[in-house]
Amino acid sequence: NAGVTQTPKFRILKIGQSMTLQCTQDMNHNYMYWYRQDPGMGLKLIYYSVGAGITDKGEVPNGYNVSRSTTEDFPLRLELAAPSQTSVYFCASRGQASYEQYFGPGTRLTVT
Amino acid sequence: EDQVTQSPEALRLQEGESSSLNCSYTVSGLRGLFWYRQDPGKGPEFLFTLYSAGEEKEKERLKATLTKKESFLHITAPKPEDSATYLCAVSQGGSEKLVFGKGMKLTVNP
């Protein structure tokens, strides 16, 4: 049982490039989330999903897109990367029966 | 607006020196208050969920308590391996958003 896994661990992008951050969970959780964590700031919710085929915006969705075609996977797409998207990105999931979220190891993204 | 404030921002303790971390929150309709531990370069690790004032949870040297306005994470006789950043977050009923505090960096010296 690996929990929540994320790839890649590190990535450097040039301004204007695009990429997809991958997130997979093996706990059969319906709920999945994407957060970003900036130095000295609390984690901010980007997007979330309550089940396959259903997604919704969080606090800071601009510049990102998501899809949820399966229960296990919740990829985050960055289009036209900007320096402001330099951050550490965390994926999380939770089950139906409780509200605590379980986090992946993160992806550190630098846009230059 | 929902807010979470953690204090102090950083704390240095000697091994065995007990202390408490504070998390003050303002949220209407609290669904849950969560404590996480985060080690450098890692994702947050879930510690506790507290749902209502008066509730307490314990795990090894950690004890979390909740009132209507704040939560405390008590650390008893800490060890160097307790060094980490501790995050507090709240969830409001009807919302999937977790509002996180900025975290509190704990260093325990041997």
Side-chain angles (χ1 to χ4, degrees):
Chain A
N1 190 333
V4 179
T5 56
Q6 294 183 236
T7 56
K9 291 189 186 304
F10 304 95
R11 183 72 186 269
I12 298 174
L13 282 182
K14 294 188 183 302
I15 294 172
Q17 287 186 321
S18 300
M19 76 164 293
T20 299
L21 282 67
Q22 301 291 346
C23 174
T24 300
Q25 53 89 12
D26 62 0
M27 298 175 281
N28 200 32
H29 285 170
N30 286 333
Y31 297 81
M32 296 187 74
Y33 309 83
W34 275 105
Y35 292 88
R36 60 178 287 172
Q37 185 176 41
D38 299 305
M41 305 291 290
L43 283 90
K44 299 292 186 185
L45 182 65
I46 304 171
Y47 269 95
Y48 68 94
S49 170
V50 300
I54 306 170
T55 63
D56 208 345
K57 295 177 181 178
E59 290 178 273
V60 290
N62 291 344
Y64 307 95
N65 277 301
V66 294
S67 59
R68 183 100 181 266
S69 56
T70 68
T71 299
E72 295 79 17
D73 301 305
F74 189 40
L76 178 71
R77 177 84 177 161
L78 277 72
E79 305 282 2
L80 299 175
S84 60
Q85 294 178 305
T86 293
S87 188
V88 182
Y89 291 85
F90 291 102
C91 180
S93 71
R94 74 167 177 92
Q96 194 82 20
S98 60
Y99 296 110
E100 59 262 19
Q101 298 178 17
Y102 295 90
F103 286 78
T107 294
R108 182 174 293 274
L109 175 69
T110 302
V111 182
T112 62
Chain B
E1 181 180 317
D2 299 344
Q3 285 193 321
V4 177
T5 303
Q6 292 188 246
S7 62
E9 291 184 3
L11 182 64
R12 283 186 177 271
L13 299 174
Q14 289 300 123
E15 184 171 2
E17 179 186 1
S18 301
S19 188
S20 297
L21 317 180
N22 176 263
C23 172
S24 298
Y25 66 92
T26 54
V27 65
S28 56
L30 179 73
R31 184 163 74 177
L33 184 140
F34 309 88
W35 283 99
Y36 288 86
R37 170 192 170 126
Q38 187 174 24
D39 293 302
K42 303 284 183 65
E45 175 189 346
F46 170 72
L47 293 173
F48 303 110
T49 305
L50 301 167
Y51 292 106
S52 58
E55 190 174 359
E56 300 181 351
K57 295 265 179 83
E58 283 189 71
K59 179 180 179 180
E60 296 180 356
R61 295 176 293 282
L62 300 177
K63 179 180 177 180
T65 62
L66 182 65
T67 72
K68 289 186 177 179
K69 294 183 179 180
E70 57 191 351
S71 176
F72 291 94
L73 186 64
H74 307 278
I75 302 177
T76 302
K79 298 182 177 182
E81 52 261 43
D82 294 320
S83 297
T85 295
Y86 290 85
L87 307 177
C88 174
V90 297
S91 174
Q92 181 184 26
S95 171
E96 284 304 317
K97 183 177 75 173
L98 278 185
V99 178
F100 279 85
K102 295 181 180 180
M104 199 287 308
K105 184 175 180 181
L106 174 67
T107 304
V108 182
N109 296 314

